[in-house]
Amino acid sequence: MVENSATAAVKTKEMIKTPSGFNIIWRELMRDKLALISLICLIGIAAFVYGVSLVLDQEEIVRVDLFAIYQSPGEDFILGTDYGGRDVFGQLIIGTKNSLSIAIIVTLMTGFIGVVFGLVAGYFGGHIDNMLMRILDFFNILPFTMIVIAFVAIVPTYSVLTFSIIMAAFLWMGIARLIRSKALQEKELDYIQAARTLGTSNFKIIFKHLLPNCSSLIIVTMTLNLAANIGLESGLSFLGFGFPEDTPSLGTLLSYARNPQTLEYRWWIWVPASVLILILMLCINNVGQALKRATDARQRRG
Amino acid sequence: MRKTNLMKLLFALMLSVLLVLAACSKDSSSDPKGNDTKTEGNAGKDKEKDKGEILFSQDDFEMTTSNSGEPIGGTLNFGLVSDSVFEGTLNWNFYDGDPDSQVIKWFDESLLDMDANFTYTQDGAATFKTEPYETEEYPNGVTIEFTIRDNVNWHDGEPVKAEDWAYSFEVIGHPEYTGVRYGPDFSDIVGMDEYHAGKADTISGIEIVDEKTLKVTYKQSNPSLLTGGIWPYAMPKHIFKDIPVAKMAESDAVRKNPIGMGPYKVESIVAGESVVYSKNADYWRGEPALDKVVLKVVNPKTVVQELETGGVDMINAFPGDQFVDNADMSNVEFLANIDLYYAYIGFKLGTWDAEKKRVKMDPNAKMADVNLRKAMAHAVDTDSIGKKFYNGLRWKATTLIPPSHPEYHDADNPGLVYDPELAKKILDDAGYKDVDGDGFREDPNGEQLVINYAGQSGSDVAEPMAKYFIQAWENVGLKVQLLDGRLHEFNTFYDRVGQSGEDDPAVDVYGGGWGVGSDVNPYGLYGPDQMFNFPRYESEKNSELLAKGVSMEAFDVEYRKQVYKEWQQLMTEEVPVFPTLYALELVPVNKRVVNYTLDRNVNSLYEVGVTQEEPFKAEKKKK
Amino acid sequence: MWKFSLRRILIMIPQLFALSLLIFILAKMMPGDALSGKIDPNIDPARIEELREEMGWNDPWHEQYARWVGGVVKGDFGQSFRFKMPVTEIIGQRIVNSFWLSLVTLILTYLIAIPLGITSGRFNDTLRDHLITGYSYIGFATPLFIFALVMLWVFGFQLQWFPTSGSVAPGLEPGTFDYVASKLYHLLLPAFSMALIQTYSTIQYLRNEIVDTKQRDFIITARAKGASETRVYNNHILRNSLLPIAAFFGYEITLLIGGSIFVENIFGYPGMGQLLVESITLRDYSVVTATTLLFGVASVLGALLSDIILSIIDPRIRIK
């Protein structure tokens, strides 16, 4: 367990600076070659898509070209074209960028809501906890698909950001639950009790003592969530509630496979996106698992 | 340890490759399909015959199966293509979705037959004669006397009687009727209004003369009556008479054990999924050729495989976007007929006045200038759209009466042809010039002109097509943008276009489609007091022509043709909407099936048979 | 214990009430209603308006809601406009299908995941473990709908081992052996498609749990006493690690509901998930609200079940 509470900052993003925790994580990561390769791979892909999409002309890529419909991969188009004659490779790059952005935004937002919610509920306990948990339960019973479809129909502009907000609003419960139970355990420990007796304000205790001690759990959970959030929109695209096509995403490319002809004969449209999702998820997952091992002595490898 | 880590990665990669391979082991066979079909070379890209260049037209298809052989009885498997269940409202008087009608047509049918021009004939289960009905209140009324043939019986052996037919009118007109069928076809019957309002117990205009003879009197005689204006379906009164009208649609007589007078009887139903029919040997046209029919719902995503494996022998409609890849399916024959449909682009010219229940044109509407509308029509290359997006299965539309009505469709009217130069010239002449040099034209007053286009999502090609339209208008210098930057799903789309009368003022142009009825009369879509007149267009000439089309004189087909020819021309000049595409309906039929036809004026469902017990299976596609 | 369950159920009531209100408002905010799909020149718009008025769809939403709640209290969920029959009857038809699909999926998931999870945990950091973990990750990363489509294509059409649509073969008499067999046969492939790639959480949980338990003192003691390895596993480790899996049972319900939407769609299997999505697209609101509410009840009961099981097997989290 990470037992240091020295100088953690308030923001979740900076929690990683908790020295010894960070060191252990780093050491474990360096030791775990697979995780390291995954991390490098991940950074590489991210740098590539964000870099290249700066240069790429999105307008040009989503432009319909009647004379280039369903071209197979070749000289003109590295990965062929879709039914609108649009370059699949370009869409793949921008799509990966968008899907990554969604995953990151959703993860950060759910992380933020979940951590604050969980810490408050866990730390105060009693009635506050009870009330907050009922709210959480309520969100849990919401039929996710139905709500999201309804919101998609209602929001006037449907973009990466609005989509992420809608998603985040209904996906924060898992992490909140985790953090709460961790906080419940922690607050019984001596150092919190001591801080209380000293008259430290609740706010200070939560963010200066409790939060840093949950940091490793938060990082691990968020990393694993990030993996799950890649391709979040693919299911919705499949049901016909995906992004408009001038916002390419991996999910949109993937959902082209619902046309059986595309599934069978035009692999270049959906297979690269599937493989990319697979790689991204595996990479993030590998990193996440390594982090998890790092923070859990019993699972740590030699 | 490290080795195994690497192993893990390798394994993961291997599995993913396997998965991918499993998914697309057929990829390599994606050589150009349909070599025997017409191909059209494209100068620029001749090196590769990709699928976009394989073209079809109506001439490539037959309407009737060409297989020969004697039917042997047996079982036919019919696929109802739908990505949802069929609702199970299995009665002509209550159904409102197409899936249900596909189920009903096997066991119940219209009492009146139609010919190629959708006019009732004397060949059906009932014959009719008309006599004028002239009273002070209704000087132009007409009474139609129907006689049901003697050998027409319900599946339970009861004869189909005049009272059964009259009963349909009584149920649909009933104040507690829950379905959607009530409309002008019914309220035009003398006495129907009073009955519908609950003020009368009977309909005075309907008279049961004897067991097989029925007289129905209409307030106004017009040619539309005989082209689909009469409700031709009876319902078995002896079964329904004890069920309250409000509860009929959910009764077992509709949902679980419906009966009819058609060639096959319902044997069993799995709600929403499948129906088994058996032969009705007592069918009035003759003994049906099959022993059994099994109907099941088939998802459009798997319909090709079902056909290839013989899981179904034929289906109600083939998804057009899957055709090109499967044109060479070896065990079926593709039949085609012109669909009762046209796609169009509409211009919003006003709003709906809910008080007066009619359209209110707005002379200041953004699209009010006919030159602008014309230019926009000339700017789009619908011919290429049909070829590129639909491989010719949809093609350039010219007028607002599709060729599915051969007598009334004006084949000589070229419509507004693709001519971007002409479009530019029209805009220049009308004062739409690019004043501020941003590449887009301003309106004649020099104000920015940004046109909002509303499009419907749903089909795969919807978005590229919308994009294409916008690009085409951009090419003649008009700035058009997608409303809200995206396509709208069906409900939202029609809400904003104005299906409830509350038109969204943000919509300037929209892309719609109409299925046309058997009656050619376009009044329901373009009449000034019609909600479905989405462009909110009216003009004196339009109203006059539409009225003429259903006048007494129009019983003369030549006269009526002339009227609608003028109307089609008027629409080409005034452009409240312009048609973009006509469509083919495609039906693949297993090669063991004989006597099936898409010809709408032939009632030969009972003659459809199979020539062998097992369906043909598709040969493995060549690598 | 009983007190706890009772309290939870009581808390559930206002939650479901809030849920129904939210769903109702959302439904009314969505554009269109069940009649807007009837844009057909053969149907008179005046008749549509008349029907809207009759159904009370033009009333303010709170009046409609009050009417709806009034009905629900009496067990009447209203009439489905699309099917023209009572909502309860529609749901009755579908829920049976969904129940069996979920049950078979769950059984298959456990049949696949538990042995794999145990093997993976027992032989952690060996090749076997890596293979199993690799499989579960790939399952985690594979979109369900693509996988289901591929399964259908391979086993349904290429090999023709399984039926490809519907929940039962046409023309069978309900209640007969053939009928039941046909039902089971129809849901095997969809259930397998779901089960095969949804094993991630169970496998990983079990694996980590076993790895954890292995190093606990009592296991080390047992070993030191000379208990055979098999005995250690069967008597000590498994008992400790498997029980929490049972507790996840309740939570799995929510997961299954989410997955069933895709699988039902692809295999043309008429269940609740398909019903919900269709009803949303066609704006058949009475069905939407009733179905959503039912899903809500299912997940609340599932969570309750999980909590109860958990509190039985793990006294530490026993509820006060």
Side-chain angles (χ1 to χ4, degrees):
Chain A
M1 282 301 135
V2 191
E3 281 282 338
N4 193 309
S5 59
T7 51
V10 178
K11 278 188 200 151
T12 44
K13 270 186 261 176
E14 292 169 40
M15 280 175 326
I16 206 157
K17 281 187 184 149
T18 314
S20 66
F22 183 74
N23 282 342
I24 293 177
I25 287 173
W26 185 245
R27 218 172 53 217
E28 183 72 13
L29 210 56
M30 291 310 288
R31 193 174 289 164
D32 191 335
K33 282 289 175 298
L34 181 65
L36 193 66
I37 294 171
S38 299
L39 188 66
I40 292 169
C41 193
L42 199 63
I43 294 173
I45 292 176
F48 182 73
V49 295
Y50 281 99
V52 172
S53 58
L54 285 180
V55 194
L56 276 182
D57 182 358
Q58 180 160 343
E59 287 280 307
E60 196 48 47
I61 282 169
V62 296
R63 192 173 170 86
V64 173
D65 180 1
L66 288 187
F67 295 97
I69 290 174
Y70 284 143
Q71 300 236 331
S72 31
E75 295 161 33
D76 296 348
F77 303 97
I78 303 173
L79 279 175
T81 59
D82 68 0
Y83 59 75
R86 291 164 296 202
D87 179 20
V88 173
F89 184 69
Q91 288 190 66
L92 194 67
I93 294 194
I94 300 180
T96 311
K97 184 197 82 173
N98 285 338
S99 292
L100 262 178
S101 305
I102 293 171
I104 293 170
I105 299 175
V106 171
T107 310
L108 287 181
M109 287 203 291
T110 51
F112 181 75
I113 305 174
V115 166
V116 171
F117 198 95
L119 284 179
V120 170
Y123 175 75
F124 290 105
H127 285 302
I128 294 181
D129 178 34
N130 234 325
M131 201 183 68
L132 288 178
M133 285 314 282
R134 293 295 82 77
I135 294 178
L136 189 141
D137 283 349
F138 176 67
F139 272 87
N140 257 332
I141 63 171
L142 290 180
F144 181 70
T145 320
M146 144 90 203
I147 302 262
V148 171
I149 292 174
F151 269 107
V152 167
I154 294 167
V155 289
T157 49
Y158 188 28
S159 65
V160 169
L161 191 67
T162 44
F163 176 81
S164 307
I165 293 174
I166 296 172
M167 282 304 194
F170 301 102
L171 285 174
W172 53 270
M173 292 84 76
I175 190 163
R177 214 182 258 278
L178 267 174
I179 300 298
R180 169 185 170 264
S181 43
K182 175 81 175 163
L184 274 177
Q185 287 170 20
E186 288 288 321
K187 75 165 184 182
E188 301 300 329
L189 297 180
D190 292 344
Y191 73 97
I192 300 278
Q193 297 302 337
R196 266 193 182 165
T197 342
L198 287 173
T200 322
S201 78
N202 287 333
F203 184 83
K204 223 170 166 184
I205 298 179
I206 291 181
F207 289 103
K208 276 206 156 167
H209 301 299
L210 205 48
L211 185 63
N213 282 300
C214 299
S215 61
S216 54
L217 181 68
I218 294 172
I219 293 170
V220 170
T221 322
M222 280 180 52
T223 316
L224 292 177
N225 279 355
L226 187 67
N229 290 342
I230 297 266
L232 198 59
E233 79 288 352
S234 64
L236 277 176
S237 304
F238 175 78
L239 293 176
F241 300 95
F243 281 118
E245 286 173 31
D246 52 7
T247 315
S249 79
L250 290 180
T252 312
L253 283 172
L254 211 54
S255 74
Y256 288 161
R258 70 187 160 160
N259 176 336
Q261 308 315 310
T262 306
L263 183 75
E264 219 175 312
Y265 304 117
R266 291 185 272 271
W267 58 271
W268 62 86
I269 295 175
W270 65 275
V271 169
S274 316
V275 173
L276 208 57
I277 288 197
L278 204 71
I279 293 176
L280 282 175
M281 273 177 124
L282 286 178
C283 286
I284 302 177
N285 203 33
N286 283 335
V287 175
Q289 296 295 347
L291 293 180
K292 198 167 164 191
R293 278 193 298 274
T295 54
D296 185 347
R298 274 175 305 199
Q299 305 257 353
R300 212 172 282 163
R301 293 175 179 172
Chain B
M1 189 70 68
R2 262 163 216 161
K3 228 179 216 162
T4 52
N5 274 341
L6 269 177
M7 279 299 297
K8 191 162 128 192
L9 185 73
L10 268 178
F11 174 67
L13 278 175
M14 215 172 70
L15 252 185
S16 63
V17 168
L18 264 180
L19 196 80
V20 166
L21 280 182
C24 52
S25 57
K26 267 191 168 178
D27 294 341
S28 44
S29 68
S30 63
D31 59 337
K33 299 274 162 354
N35 295 328
D36 47 349
T37 49
K38 279 197 218 165
T39 54
E40 194 192 61
N42 185 308
K45 304 225 169 188
D46 228 354
K47 53 182 179 177
E48 243 183 288
K49 277 190 191 130
D50 63 340
K51 299 199 181 68
E53 290 164 31
I54 300 170
L55 283 183
F56 297 90
S57 78
Q58 198 202 351
D59 307 335
D60 298 323
F61 302 98
E62 294 296 325
M63 256 205 275
T64 308
T65 47
S66 58
N67 312 316
S68 55
E70 278 307 303
I72 53 145
T75 303
L76 177 99
N77 295 304
F78 182 83
L80 169 53
V81 180
S82 163
D83 52 10
S84 63
V85 298
F86 63 86
E87 281 82 2
T89 320
L90 304 181
N91 186 300
W92 289 122
N93 301 291
F94 295 102
Y95 90 100
D96 58 34
D98 177 66
D100 278 350
S101 74
Q102 295 294 336
V103 178
I104 307 172
K105 73 171 189 198
W106 290 95
F107 74 86
D108 200 9
E109 64 178 28
S110 161
L111 286 156
L112 297 172
D113 277 12
M114 276 183 166
D115 66 12
N117 291 311
F118 303 99
T119 309
Y120 292 131
T121 66
Q122 305 290 354
D123 304 328
T127 55
F128 63 92
K129 43 185 195 246
T130 58
E131 55 190 69
Y133 169 84
E134 287 160 3
T135 59
E136 221 157 85
E137 198 180 359
Y138 305 117
N140 287 324
V142 62
T143 298
I144 308 181
E145 184 184 297
F146 301 97
T147 310
I148 303 169
R149 289 175 202 271
D150 280 336
N151 58 344
V152 180
N153 296 323
W154 295 111
H155 290 156
D156 59 2
E158 289 282 320
V160 176
K161 297 183 198 144
E163 61 166 22
D164 293 326
W165 201 347
Y167 195 55
S168 294
F169 288 100
E170 287 164 17
V171 166
I172 293 178
H174 197 278
E176 281 166 28
Y177 170 68
T178 52
V180 294
R181 297 289 146 198
Y182 188 78
D185 292 357
F186 294 88
S187 54
D188 279 352
I189 296 171
V190 172
M192 185 59 100
D193 290 331
E194 292 79 3
Y195 177 76
H196 183 65
K199 286 183 213 141
D201 290 337
T202 54
I203 307 158
S204 57
I206 294 183
E207 183 194 347
I208 298 166
V209 179
D210 59 40
E211 190 176 67
K212 290 280 189 181
T213 315
L214 179 76
K215 275 186 177 175
V216 182
T217 304
Y218 290 88
K219 294 173 190 168
Q220 177 77 33
S221 172
N222 72 57
S224 287
L225 262 184
L226 296 183
T227 54
I230 299 168
W231 187 248
Y233 301 106
M235 67 192 279
K237 187 172 182 182
H238 60 281
I239 289 186
F240 282 97
K241 64 176 188 292
D242 295 327
I243 307 171
V245 174
K247 294 274 173 204
M248 278 181 185
E250 61 188 79
S251 68
D252 286 357
V254 166
R255 316 199 73 96
K256 292 201 175 127
N257 32 40
I259 66 163
M261 45 169 275
Y264 294 93
K265 303 178 191 183
V266 173
E267 203 171 273
S268 68
I269 298 177
V270 180
E273 285 179 40
S274 59
V275 180
V276 180
Y277 306 89
S278 60
K279 171 156 75 177
N280 170 22
D282 192 27
Y283 182 55
W284 70 274
R285 282 183 221 259
E287 191 175 330
L290 292 158
D291 294 332
K292 259 188 180 180
V293 175
V294 175
L295 173 147
K296 66 172 181 174
V297 173
V298 174
N299 192 308
K301 296 182 185 75
T302 58
V303 64
V304 168
Q305 283 87 348
E306 289 280 3
L307 285 163
E308 281 177 343
T309 56
V312 293
D313 291 300
M314 56 191 231
I315 56 177
N316 58 321
F318 193 78
D321 55 345
Q322 299 183 30
F323 176 69
V324 178
D325 292 313
N326 297 292
D328 60 347
M329 208 190 293
S330 64
N331 63 333
V332 301
E333 177 181 13
F334 276 95
L335 308 179
N337 196 3
I338 299 174
D339 211 350
L340 294 165
Y341 171 87
Y342 61 89
Y344 70 97
I345 300 277
F347 300 100
K348 293 299 277 185
L349 304 175
T351 50
W352 178 254
D353 187 337
E355 294 261 302
K356 293 192 192 132
K357 293 211 183 289
R358 65 183 293 125
V359 300
K360 197 166 103 192
M361 279 182 72
D362 173 8
N364 297 321
K366 211 184 279 177
M367 308 313 296
D369 185 350
V370 68
N371 291 313
L372 176 58
R373 306 200 295 267
K374 250 188 198 157
M376 286 176 78
H378 281 301
V380 291
D381 183 3
T382 48
D383 196 43
S384 292
I385 293 182
K387 285 180 179 153
K388 293 292 169 185
F389 286 123
Y390 296 99
N391 301 95
L393 299 175
R394 291 190 178 195
W395 64 98
K396 184 177 114 148
T398 49
T399 76
L400 291 181
I401 294 178
S404 53
H405 292 73
E407 264 195 63
Y408 296 106
H409 170 69
D410 183 2
D412 299 331
N413 188 336
L416 296 163
V417 289
Y418 171 57
D419 188 346
E421 292 313 313
L422 179 62
K424 285 179 194 160
K425 187 169 175 303
I426 293 174
L427 288 172
D428 285 340
D429 293 349
Y432 292 88
K433 294 209 169 82
D434 182 10
V435 193
D436 58 8
D438 62 351
F440 291 109
R441 294 169 192 271
E442 276 68 48
D443 72 10
N445 302 328
E447 309 267 332
Q448 289 281 353
L449 178 68
V450 180
I451 300 166
N452 285 311
Y453 174 76
Q456 227 179 116
S457 65
S459 81
D460 262 3
V461 293
E463 189 129 0
M465 232 164 88
K467 281 273 164 59
Y468 176 77
F469 282 127
I470 290 175
Q471 288 166 15
W473 290 321
E474 213 168 85
N475 287 340
V476 295
L478 291 171
K479 189 170 178 65
V480 181
Q481 61 186 23
L482 259 186
L483 182 67
D484 293 345
R486 62 166 157 163
L487 295 179
H488 295 269
E489 54 90 43
F490 183 84
N491 289 288
T492 321
F493 175 80
Y494 276 110
D495 240 27
R496 301 184 73 163
V497 169
Q499 54 97 10
S500 59
E502 288 154 24
D503 304 15
D504 185 335
V507 180
D508 300 317
V509 185
Y510 66 95
W514 282 121
V516 289
S518 56
D519 180 15
V520 68
N521 176 16
Y523 191 85
L525 304 179
Y526 299 100
D529 55 353
Q530 293 297 311
M531 178 76 88
F532 289 160
N533 178 347
F534 292 134
R536 308 302 180 214
Y537 157 80
E538 83 168 294
S539 77
E540 229 168 87
K541 181 87 179 151
N542 177 50
S543 302
E544 183 197 320
L545 286 174
L546 289 178
K548 272 190 184 167
V550 291
S551 63
M552 294 296 275
E553 293 84 36
F555 274 105
D556 173 9
V557 173
E558 283 309 313
Y559 175 85
R560 203 177 188 202
K561 273 161 74 173
Q562 187 56 38
V563 171
Y564 286 132
K565 189 179 166 175
E566 278 176 42
W567 181 77
Q568 289 170 65
Q569 182 54 34
L570 178 75
M571 289 297 110
T572 315
E573 279 157 20
E574 304 228 311
V575 218
V577 310
F578 69 92
T580 51
L581 295 170
Y582 299 137
L584 271 187
E585 58 169 337
L586 273 178
V587 173
V589 178
N590 194 284
K591 287 193 171 155
R592 72 167 176 153
V593 177
V594 288
N595 298 336
Y596 183 69
T597 181
L598 292 178
D599 201 344
R600 292 188 189 88
N601 58 332
V602 181
N603 269 302
S604 61
L605 201 55
Y606 74 107
E607 287 174 321
V608 174
V610 293
T611 54
Q612 58 182 60
E613 281 298 333
E614 289 300 313
F616 287 99
K617 295 189 178 192
E619 286 155 30
K620 278 260 179 275
K621 281 185 187 155
K622 47 193 182 285
K623 280 267 164 191
Chain C
M1 179 66 144
W2 287 113
K3 223 173 121 191
F4 162 74
S5 311
L6 192 72
R7 209 179 65 194
R8 279 288 292 266
I9 291 171
L10 282 179
I11 288 171
M12 185 178 123
I13 293 169
Q15 275 177 354
L16 289 178
F17 191 74
L19 173 65
S20 73
L21 189 66
L22 180 75
I23 297 297
F24 210 87
I25 295 174
L26 274 181
K28 292 295 158 192
M29 273 171 76
M30 276 163 85
D33 58 35
L35 279 166
S36 29
K38 304 278 168 265
I39 296 185
D40 174 347
N42 294 321
I43 296 174
D44 184 13
R47 171 66 187 159
I48 292 178
E49 220 17 69
E50 193 180 43
L51 274 173
R52 274 201 184 107
E53 198 56 45
E54 273 174 31
M55 311 256 176
W57 292 348
N58 288 337
D59 300 344
W61 71 267
H62 53 89
E63 277 177 32
Q64 296 186 42
Y65 181 68
R67 243 193 335 257
W68 182 78
V69 171
V72 171
V73 171
K74 284 181 255 156
D76 172 15
F77 283 86
Q79 194 84 3
S80 154
F81 183 80
R82 176 173 170 226
F83 291 95
K84 312 225 177 334
M85 54 198 291
V87 173
T88 37
E89 229 172 286
I90 296 284
I91 291 183
Q93 282 173 6
R94 302 297 192 89
I95 204 166
V96 188
N97 286 340
S98 277
F99 174 76
W100 288 114
L101 179 61
S102 308
L103 189 72
V104 174
T105 309
L106 213 57
I107 293 174
L108 288 177
T109 310
Y110 286 148
L111 278 183
I112 300 167
I114 292 179
L116 290 183
I118 294 174
T119 318
S120 183
R122 179 167 175 182
F123 305 103
N124 66 323
D125 296 326
T126 63
L127 177 63
R128 259 187 277 187
D129 176 29
H130 292 308
L131 286 178
I132 292 168
T133 310
Y135 152 73
S136 77
Y137 285 179
I138 286 176
F140 174 62
T142 309
L144 177 58
F145 65 91
I146 295 245
F147 186 69
L149 276 171
V150 172
M151 290 285 282
L152 178 65
W153 187 64
V154 173
F155 294 102
F157 291 111
Q158 295 306 113
L159 301 171
Q160 301 195 21
W161 289 353
F162 293 97
T164 47
S165 71
S167 70
V168 69
L172 292 173
E173 192 69 32
T176 58
F177 174 76
D178 283 351
Y179 183 83
V180 177
S182 167
K183 279 227 141 182
L184 189 67
Y185 190 32
H186 275 79
L187 54 81
L188 271 183
L189 191 58
F192 254 116
S193 309
M194 254 204 287
L196 269 176
I197 63 168
Q198 294 199 339
T199 51
Y200 170 79
S201 55
T202 315
I203 292 183
Q204 286 309 305
Y205 186 83
L206 203 54
R207 176 188 179 277
N208 295 342
E209 196 68 17
I210 290 175
V211 173
D212 258 15
T213 322
K214 268 205 300 209
Q215 299 164 1
R216 291 254 177 86
D217 293 345
F218 71 94
I219 299 294
I220 295 167
T221 320
R223 278 220 185 92
K225 280 183 178 167
S228 77
E229 199 64 0
T230 326
R231 207 182 131 81
V232 167
Y233 270 91
N234 289 349
N235 283 10
H236 301 288
I237 297 185
L238 286 191
R239 179 177 300 171
N240 254 284
S241 314
L242 269 182
L243 284 175
I245 295 286
F248 276 142
F249 171 75
Y251 295 121
E252 291 273 351
I253 292 178
T254 328
L255 204 74
L256 283 174
I257 292 171
S260 65
I261 291 176
F262 299 102
V263 171
E264 284 172 10
N265 182 305
I266 288 164
F267 291 91
Y269 187 86
M272 298 283 284
Q274 209 193 17
L275 182 67
L276 177 66
V277 174
E278 277 171 36
S279 305
I280 293 173
T281 358
L282 297 170
R283 306 289 192 263
D284 196 357
Y285 292 129
S286 43
V287 180
V288 174
T289 34
T291 318
T292 327
L293 210 58
L294 209 70
F295 282 162
V297 173
S299 51
V300 171
L301 288 181
L304 179 62
L305 200 68
S306 284
D307 284 356
I308 292 176
I309 300 177
L310 260 181
S311 71
I312 294 172
I313 58 182
D314 188 350
R316 278 175 306 177
I317 13 180
R318 181 151 297 162
I319 314 98
K320 303 135 219 167

